[in-house]
Amino acid sequence: MDLEFNKNEDQFKILVSQLRSRATKTRLGGGEKKIEEQHAKGKLTARERIAYLCDPKTDFIEIGLFAGDGLYAEAGGCPSGGVVTGIGRVKGRLCVIVANDATVKAGAWFPITAKKNLRAQEVAMENHLPIIYLVDSAGVFLPMQDEIFPDKEHFGRQFRNNARMSSMGIVQIAAIMGSCVAGGAYLPIMSDEAMIVDKTGSIFLAGSYLVKAAIGEEIDNETLGGATTHCEISGVTDNKFPNDQACLDYIRSIFDKIGRDESAGFDRVTPAPPRERPEELYGLLPVDRVKPYDMLEVIKRFVDDSQFDEYKPLYGKTLICGYARVDGWAVGIVANQRKVVKTKKGEMQMGGVIYSDSADKAARFIMNCNQRKVPLIFLQDVSGFMVGSKAEHGGIIKDGAKMLNAMANSTVPKFTFIVGNSYGAGNYAMCGKAYDPRLIYAWPTAQIAVMSGASAAKTLLQIRVSALKAQGKSITPEEEKKLLDEITTRYNDQLSPYYAAARLWVDGVVDPLETRRIISVGIEAANQSVLEKFNVGVIQT
């Protein structure tokens, strides 16, 4: 390997090490002391419950690990949004699991908690996957109730989704393993079956203090809404269990007897590992993100047998399109080519930029994948669409619209990985979050924004300087440089993949070596649902 490769590899390994360190800290939730308090009550933590519930030695694809990262500092933070969500396997069945983390503010709901719960339900609905709720929550975090309670995508939307999923035939199982209060009580009871753990689980619309304040009745929480009350008197819950483990065992027995749905029919053969070493991914991406590299070499490190059948390789070269297999699954890949390419006319095209011919090629390829029932993988390292008079006169807006139309109306599942840059309309065209990828993850090298940090900082600086001049104020070169540095630092913080993950713009930040596993489980999950008919609508030619 050459010196440049080694330099890239060293830098990438530092980023992966930082990722692992942040992930380890985040998985502690409210911290070791809070975990010990859970254990002292005879309770498992959210992550321990998921580990016990899922089949041994199977993958759990976590969604939203870094949700809430750096948010709500005034409230003490909200690691992982106070809830653990993802796709796991129970008795051989893929399902979505949602587990409140009572070590984080007693499992209270922050705005990001609601967003994360709705994301989990969305994954279940899109893929027609059963969903399991492991409930242990003190309810809405009252100081922020105005940001979580009344709007369309707030707390109440989950109960609407409960009802919608039930009508869709999606199995919903709930276990009340701690507090379940107020409006949150509807979530488990709107599920198909609700279990409760004796002495630690409780469910009521109002706790004992509120009951006394409201109607003057004195009653303890266990009598008001404990396991015995709801299994023997009210009939609200279906079964009670002596501890978390017994309750989780019963859920496993339910999943052992669930019937199978019709599948989407995606093609799979015996998997084959890549011929090229996946670990070499670390050395392929340049430390200097402006430098070119060959995205084809990246693709070869995670597809089966490193075999890739390229579509229109001599046309629209700044976008790579083609067919491959990932862990046996047939896939179509759309990726930004980062190296500078030469057209048939001898013109040089910048890597990472979408030109008219590239957009035209991608639109046709996406339609072909829908025609053939082939899931789509998008690899983003995009600076945006080409600009300038030549591009505009050549119809870049029209060709870009064709690509957006085909991608937005695609009914085969889409999976997006942000490898490097994800700027401007390029984010949209390459299936950013707004275009419903089934799963979307960022590598540690990702940057997501309207434009690059350097371009944005200079633009924002010009606006600030102009505003100052309009007020009759002058600015020295030293002051201008200081202002530029401040703007650059603030903007660069927002470019970080962790900034995006904290707000659920992406489902997480992952080691590139996890890409293959996420795609495989994602397609298997998507294969549980029947595809809608593909209709691309009106596309200008």
Side-chain angles (χ1 to χ4, degrees):
M1 295 297 174
D2 60 20
L3 186 61
E4 186 72 20
F5 183 96
N6 292 336
K7 182 181 176 183
N8 296 340
E9 184 179 46
D10 290 344
Q11 181 60 34
F12 212 126
K13 284 183 176 179
I14 290 172
L15 293 176
V16 171
S17 176
Q18 292 170 346
L19 166 62
R20 289 172 181 162
S21 177
R22 293 180 75 142
T24 298
K25 182 179 178 181
T26 302
R27 289 189 180 105
L28 287 175
E32 293 180 352
K33 184 178 179 181
K34 291 292 184 181
I35 292 172
E36 290 171 5
E37 289 175 6
Q38 284 281 99
H39 292 163
K41 296 174 184 175
K43 299 165 65 175
L44 300 175
T45 66
R47 293 184 181 279
E48 288 168 343
R49 287 165 178 164
I50 291 172
Y52 187 95
L53 180 64
C54 290
D55 297 346
K57 297 180 181 179
T58 58
D59 292 323
F60 177 71
I61 304 298
E62 186 160 356
I63 296 170
L65 171 62
F66 294 112
D69 184 57
L71 303 180
Y72 317 122
E74 69 286 353
C78 187
S80 233
V83 62
V84 183
T85 62
I87 301 173
R89 197 179 301 273
V90 177
K91 284 293 181 177
R93 292 292 300 262
L94 283 181
C95 58
V96 173
I97 302 173
V98 177
N100 298 113
D101 186 352
T103 71
V104 179
K105 292 286 186 294
W109 285 61
F110 286 72
I112 196 66
T113 316
K115 188 172 183 179
K116 188 170 175 180
N117 274 264
L118 293 177
R119 172 63 179 145
Q121 290 183 321
E122 179 182 50
V123 171
M125 294 167 81
E126 285 180 332
N127 298 291
H128 212 272
L129 291 179
I131 185 167
I132 300 169
Y133 307 102
L134 305 180
V135 184
D136 194 345
S137 171
V140 168
F141 184 66
L142 287 178
M144 305 187 78
Q145 64 86 25
D146 61 322
E147 297 180 48
I148 186 175
F149 173 67
D151 210 346
K152 180 178 178 180
E153 298 295 332
H154 282 180
F155 186 76
R157 186 74 170 181
Q158 65 176 333
F159 313 131
R160 175 264 188 194
N161 287 349
N162 283 144
R164 292 289 300 126
M165 283 191 279
S166 182
S167 72
M168 293 167 67
I170 295 173
V171 173
Q172 299 178 82
I173 303 297
I176 300 154
M177 312 184 86
S179 297
C180 183
V181 300
Y186 288 106
L187 184 143
I189 308 311
M190 291 184 75
S191 300
D192 302 340
E193 193 165 345
M195 281 67 71
I196 187 168
V197 178
D198 197 17
K199 300 298 186 288
T200 56
S202 59
I203 179 169
F204 32 66
L205 294 180
S208 56
Y209 293 125
L210 186 54
V211 166
K212 183 175 181 180
I215 63 173
E217 181 183 3
E218 291 200 19
I219 188 170
D220 63 87
N221 281 339
E222 183 64 26
T223 305
L224 180 66
T228 298
T229 294
H230 285 310
C231 285
E232 299 180 23
I233 300 173
S234 72
V236 166
T237 53
D238 301 305
N239 277 297
K240 67 176 180 178
F241 299 90
N243 53 46
D244 285 5
Q245 292 88 338
C247 185
L248 296 169
D249 284 338
Y250 184 75
I251 294 175
R252 287 180 56 80
S253 73
I254 290 174
F255 273 75
D256 194 38
K257 302 170 184 69
I258 294 177
R260 299 282 171 177
D261 291 323
E262 186 179 349
S263 76
F266 302 131
D267 186 64
R268 192 181 197 187
V269 299
T270 303
R275 269 186 292 115
E276 305 289 347
R277 294 179 60 245
E279 295 79 10
E280 290 176 357
L281 284 170
Y282 294 154
L284 292 174
L285 270 66
V287 172
D288 181 355
R289 59 196 315 115
V290 177
K291 284 188 175 180
Y293 65 92
D294 190 352
M295 184 65 87
L296 275 171
E297 294 302 317
V298 172
I299 292 170
K300 289 177 183 177
R301 266 68 183 181
F302 72 85
V303 300
D304 288 16
D305 203 33
S306 299
Q307 183 67 41
F308 181 69
D309 301 325
E310 194 168 355
Y311 174 78
K312 288 183 179 285
L314 303 178
Y315 179 73
K317 294 181 180 179
T318 64
L319 272 180
I320 297 170
C321 299
Y323 303 97
R325 289 189 182 273
V326 175
D327 200 34
W329 294 103
V331 298
I333 297 175
V334 180
N336 301 110
Q337 176 57 284
R338 284 294 306 184
K339 68 180 184 179
V340 178
V341 299
K342 184 183 289 188
T343 68
K344 190 175 181 180
K345 296 178 181 178
E347 299 169 330
M348 304 305 293
Q349 293 184 338
M350 294 184 292
V353 177
I354 301 175
Y355 291 77
S356 282
D357 54 356
S358 306
D360 177 68
K361 176 173 80 171
R364 183 55 190 249
F365 178 73
I366 290 167
M367 289 188 282
N368 284 349
C369 286
N370 276 270
Q371 186 79 354
R372 301 170 191 178
K373 289 189 177 181
V374 177
L376 283 159
I377 312 297
F378 290 84
L379 301 178
Q380 289 195 13
D381 195 344
V382 57
S383 303
F385 284 89
M386 190 57 191
V387 297
S389 61
K390 187 174 181 179
E392 298 292 359
H393 296 170
I396 185 66
I397 296 175
K398 179 182 68 175
D399 290 318
K402 282 195 287 187
M403 182 178 175
L404 280 169
N405 196 323
M407 186 270 300
N409 284 297
S410 173
T411 58
V412 296
K414 306 183 293 281
F415 303 89
T416 301
F417 294 86
I418 303 173
V419 173
N421 302 332
S422 180
Y423 298 152
N427 170 282
Y428 302 156
M430 294 295 293
C431 197
K433 184 64 181 288
Y435 288 83
D436 298 322
R438 296 292 177 98
L439 295 171
I440 176 170
Y441 285 89
W443 288 6
T445 43
Q447 289 191 349
I448 306 164
V450 169
M451 61 182 75
S452 70
S455 298
K458 290 175 184 176
T459 303
L460 290 168
L461 177 65
Q462 290 171 5
I463 294 170
R464 291 279 292 276
V465 170
S466 296
L468 288 170
K469 287 181 178 178
Q471 297 168 18
K473 299 177 182 178
S474 60
I475 182 168
T476 66
E478 291 77 17
E479 290 171 333
E480 189 170 318
K481 182 182 183 303
K482 183 181 178 183
L483 190 55
L484 178 62
D485 291 342
E486 289 174 359
I487 293 170
T488 301
T489 299
R490 186 170 65 253
Y491 195 86
N492 283 342
D493 288 341
Q494 295 178 8
L495 286 171
S496 165
Y498 297 101
Y499 188 92
R503 291 153 181 80
L504 284 175
W505 301 345
V506 295
D507 291 320
V509 183
V510 295
D511 184 332
L513 301 183
E514 296 290 293
T515 302
R516 183 176 162 89
R517 178 175 71 99
I518 291 169
I519 292 171
S520 180
V521 174
I523 297 176
E524 184 181 353
N527 204 36
Q528 313 299 307
S529 59
V530 179
L531 285 180
E532 297 176 17
K533 185 178 179 182
F534 176 63
N535 184 352
V536 77
V538 177
I539 291 188
Q540 286 185 304
T541 57

